[in-house]
Amino acid sequence: MTHKDLWNSIYSKLTQSLPTHAINTWFEPIVPIALTDNELVLEVPSQFFYEWIESHYMLSLSQTIQDVYNKDLKTRFIISAEKIKLNTATPGRHPTEKTNIQPVPALNKNYSFESFIEGPNNQFAKIAAETVAGDPGKNSFNPLIIYGGVGLGKTHLLHAIGNTIRLNSPSSNIVLATSERFTLDFVNSLRKNKTVEFAKHYRRSDVLLIDDIQFFRGKEQTQEQFFHTFNELYQSGKQIVLTADRFPGEMQGLQDRLLSRFQSGLSVDIQPPNFEMRVAILMDKAEQNGVDLSYDTIEFIATHVKSNVRDLEGIIIRLLAQSSLMNQDIDFNLVREVVRERIGKTAVTDLTVEDVVRRVSELSNISEKEIVGKSRKMEIAEARQVSMYLCRNIMGTSLNNIGVYFGGRDHTTVMHAVKTIDEKRVKNKRVGKIVTSLKQEFSFSLT
Ligand code: ADP
Ligand code: MG
């Protein structure tokens, strides 16, 4: 058996036991290098990668190896130097690109499908975008509408579609604009009596990409223009791709006839990234920017910065800036500081009473239901008081609100609970431990 055959069997076996996103993120990039009598050598893209596999998947991996190989075999990981080089060498990697293909104004070359990290939150949107890019105008996804919250990769996918089509068919006329640009172009054309030119520019496109159509809201005349452009392109089989901040059906201030046109195509959403995705994104962005981050650090950032990809990226850039400007090493304190500064406020609002109760429940082995319930049993009452204390202490939730949440108790009961735990956490080891560890976990809210 060669190392490749062996790895293929291991890989396919793993796909049966691990979730797809884990396979895609952590196993797909592994390259088998060699197989000796007692060792299988695997190449991984980075130190972090290795550490992650080591701490999360070693058991599954060695079990699977035993299953398919029937012989004692150690695994050794080596870290790919190649990969890092590839990433930093990206600009100018396609020398032919520059000479043969006309650049499309405003198309960001860095926004490609390759650089788009895929996870359960965006898989469907990415597949739809790739399909459209591979076969513009000739599929039933017309228009394709990608929608979701800020910083989740809508613009990235829109540009990736444009970039791909530009590479595949250099002669096709790709027109990209934000809805604001479209509006501005239209208004200017009115002022300068050039509405014909305006219409020509947009209606001559083979592929029309319009970013953030929610800004068409309330602009009747612009919508009218857009409607005609849309119809003309649609009828002649041209591809239209739009992005929006919400499901088109829920968009107010857009004409019904536009909304009904949108229904003839496909709307796909992008959701905020889950923890594994955030880790994968941080890894990738850190590597791209040449920032060396330890496993702990990445996990720490991924735990606290939850909102969107732009914020994750922002943290990496800020770390890079801070460390080079201040000539400071990127240590845990710096990371903490940067994270706190960037998202301190969001973290406070992100945290809910439910989060606190859930964590207390996990640490105390008392169910969430019991914690918010009526039981006076000692351990249960204590877990309840600890939860109340943490809500008050970390989030500053009002005594009344805490009381309401915990089974309709009045504010004096809550006050008593807070006082009790404040004393107990010093004297009682178990209480002290829970309080300290959860305070640390939620520490961003403590400033
Ligand atoms: P949106 O248009 O949804 O507000 P963007 O497309 O501007 O978000 O994304 C914000 C930043 O995050 C961009 O720099 C983009 O490259 C990056 N980004 C978003 N999603 C991903 C992803 N899945 N993989 C890699 N980078 C991403
Ligand atoms: Mg955008």
Side-chain angles (χ1 to χ4, degrees):
M1 202 185 240
T2 69
H3 56 281
K4 282 185 189 152
D5 294 337
L6 176 58
W7 177 246
N8 284 342
S9 343
I10 294 170
Y11 183 87
S12 66
K13 185 103 190 177
L14 281 170
T15 56
Q16 291 161 20
S17 58
L18 295 174
T20 319
H21 64 92
I23 293 288
N24 289 344
T25 312
W26 304 110
F27 291 94
E28 217 265 321
I30 295 179
V31 182
I33 297 294
L35 176 63
T36 65
D37 269 345
N38 59 359
E39 207 177 52
L40 173 65
V41 185
L42 299 171
E43 188 188 69
V44 294
S46 67
Q47 175 72 21
F48 174 76
F49 220 96
Y50 158 70
E51 284 170 11
W52 186 271
I53 290 170
E54 170 95 9
S55 58
H56 291 79
Y57 298 114
M58 230 26 223
L59 203 64
S60 324
L61 190 58
S62 36
Q63 253 159 18
T64 311
I65 292 176
Q66 230 158 33
D67 285 350
V68 302
Y69 199 58
N70 270 328
K71 216 169 112 182
D72 236 354
L73 198 60
K74 273 190 268 175
T75 32
R76 185 157 62 89
F77 288 96
I78 59 169
I79 290 156
S80 143
E82 235 47 62
K83 176 95 186 191
I84 296 163
K85 266 197 219 123
L86 268 184
N87 265 331
T88 49
T90 312
R93 235 169 78 207
H94 308 285
T96 48
E97 227 174 80
K98 277 187 198 138
T99 45
N100 292 347
I101 300 165
Q102 285 300 309
V104 174
L107 209 49
N108 184 336
K109 273 179 70 178
N110 296 325
Y111 291 172
S112 63
F113 287 121
E114 291 78 48
S115 66
F116 189 82
I117 301 165
E118 186 180 328
N121 60 318
N122 60 24
Q123 231 154 24
F124 193 45
K126 188 187 174 198
I127 291 170
E130 280 176 321
T131 306
V132 161
D135 207 8
K138 311 234 164 10
N139 53 78
S140 51
F141 305 162
N142 204 10
L144 173 66
I145 304 178
I146 303 168
Y147 68 93
V150 290
L152 296 179
K154 302 183 296 294
T155 299
H156 189 130
L157 280 182
L158 189 74
H159 286 233
I161 293 173
N163 281 318
T164 307
I165 298 176
R166 190 175 59 106
L167 273 176
N168 292 344
S169 53
S171 60
S172 63
N173 182 19
I174 303 168
V175 175
L176 165 76
T178 59
S179 60
E180 290 114 315
R181 177 81 248 167
F182 186 94
T183 308
L184 206 67
D185 283 352
F186 174 56
V187 173
N188 280 335
S189 76
L190 281 180
R191 275 189 18 214
K192 295 179 185 156
N193 277 327
K194 286 192 169 166
T195 46
V196 179
E197 279 84 348
F198 166 82
K200 256 196 201 155
H201 172 68
Y202 282 98
R203 291 179 204 182
R204 260 203 324 230
S205 49
D206 297 311
V207 180
L208 179 66
L209 311 170
I210 303 281
D211 206 357
D212 289 323
I213 56 166
Q214 67 271 12
F215 296 119
F216 280 147
R217 197 178 300 146
K219 295 169 184 150
E220 295 293 327
Q221 228 185 329
T222 307
Q223 283 185 39
E224 169 108 16
Q225 279 302 316
F226 181 64
F227 181 73
H228 293 310
T229 308
F230 185 100
N231 280 344
E232 197 163 319
L233 292 176
Y234 183 79
Q235 271 151 23
S236 43
K238 309 295 189 187
Q239 180 71 50
I240 300 157
V241 186
L242 312 169
T243 71
D245 68 346
R246 69 198 66 187
F247 179 63
E250 284 164 10
M251 226 164 338
Q252 283 171 1
L254 246 58
Q255 297 168 1
D256 285 344
R257 56 179 186 170
L258 260 182
L259 295 181
S260 81
R261 282 291 185 283
F262 295 164
Q263 274 165 14
S264 63
L266 174 72
S267 298
V268 286
D269 67 329
I270 305 186
Q271 293 290 326
N274 64 17
F275 177 74
E276 285 82 1
M277 266 294 278
R278 298 199 294 275
V279 168
I281 287 165
L282 283 165
M283 266 175 52
D284 210 71
K285 304 278 174 190
E287 202 173 280
Q288 271 171 32
N289 290 291
V291 183
D292 196 14
L293 293 181
S294 71
Y295 160 73
D296 283 350
T297 307
I298 293 212
E299 187 170 82
F300 176 83
I301 301 171
T303 306
H304 288 96
V305 183
K306 299 179 187 165
S307 44
N308 65 52
V309 184
R310 189 174 291 140
D311 283 351
L312 293 172
E313 222 169 36
I315 297 277
I316 300 283
I317 303 299
R318 188 90 184 87
L319 281 172
L320 193 66
Q322 190 90 357
S323 74
S324 58
L325 285 177
M326 315 296 275
N327 208 0
Q328 205 176 347
D329 278 342
I330 301 184
D331 60 8
F332 198 68
N333 277 337
L334 178 62
V335 172
R336 221 182 136 87
E337 211 175 285
V338 166
V339 170
R340 190 194 291 259
E341 176 195 294
R342 297 275 306 195
I343 59 118
K345 282 205 189 81
T346 344
V348 179
T349 47
D350 267 352
L351 194 64
T352 62
V353 179
E354 283 89 343
D355 293 330
V356 172
V357 172
R358 198 190 58 238
R359 292 295 290 134
V360 172
S361 159
E362 279 161 12
L363 292 185
S364 63
N365 273 324
I366 289 167
S367 76
E368 293 173 48
K369 212 168 147 196
E370 283 173 319
I371 291 181
V372 301
K374 300 264 181 236
S375 167
R376 289 173 187 272
K377 256 173 92 180
M378 224 278 277
E379 314 91 71
I380 299 177
E382 188 181 272
R384 184 179 306 130
Q385 289 182 327
V386 167
S387 306
M388 291 175 166
Y389 169 84
L390 287 169
C391 288
R392 180 74 188 143
N393 226 270
I394 293 175
M395 295 182 289
T397 314
S398 76
L399 297 171
N400 269 329
N401 280 343
I402 296 175
V404 168
Y405 188 85
F406 289 86
R409 294 174 162 84
D410 73 18
H411 75 277
T412 51
T413 313
V414 180
M415 206 150 70
H416 174 71
V418 172
K419 204 164 148 248
T420 308
I421 297 303
D422 208 24
E423 286 160 9
K424 247 191 186 173
R425 76 194 166 102
V426 191
K427 291 185 231 145
N428 178 316
K429 241 188 173 162
R430 185 189 37 190
V431 171
K433 223 170 120 188
I434 295 186
V435 167
T436 316
S437 87
L438 287 186
K439 266 194 173 180
Q440 228 159 40
E441 189 177 317
F442 299 136
S443 62
F444 282 102
S445 326
L446 286 176
T447 30

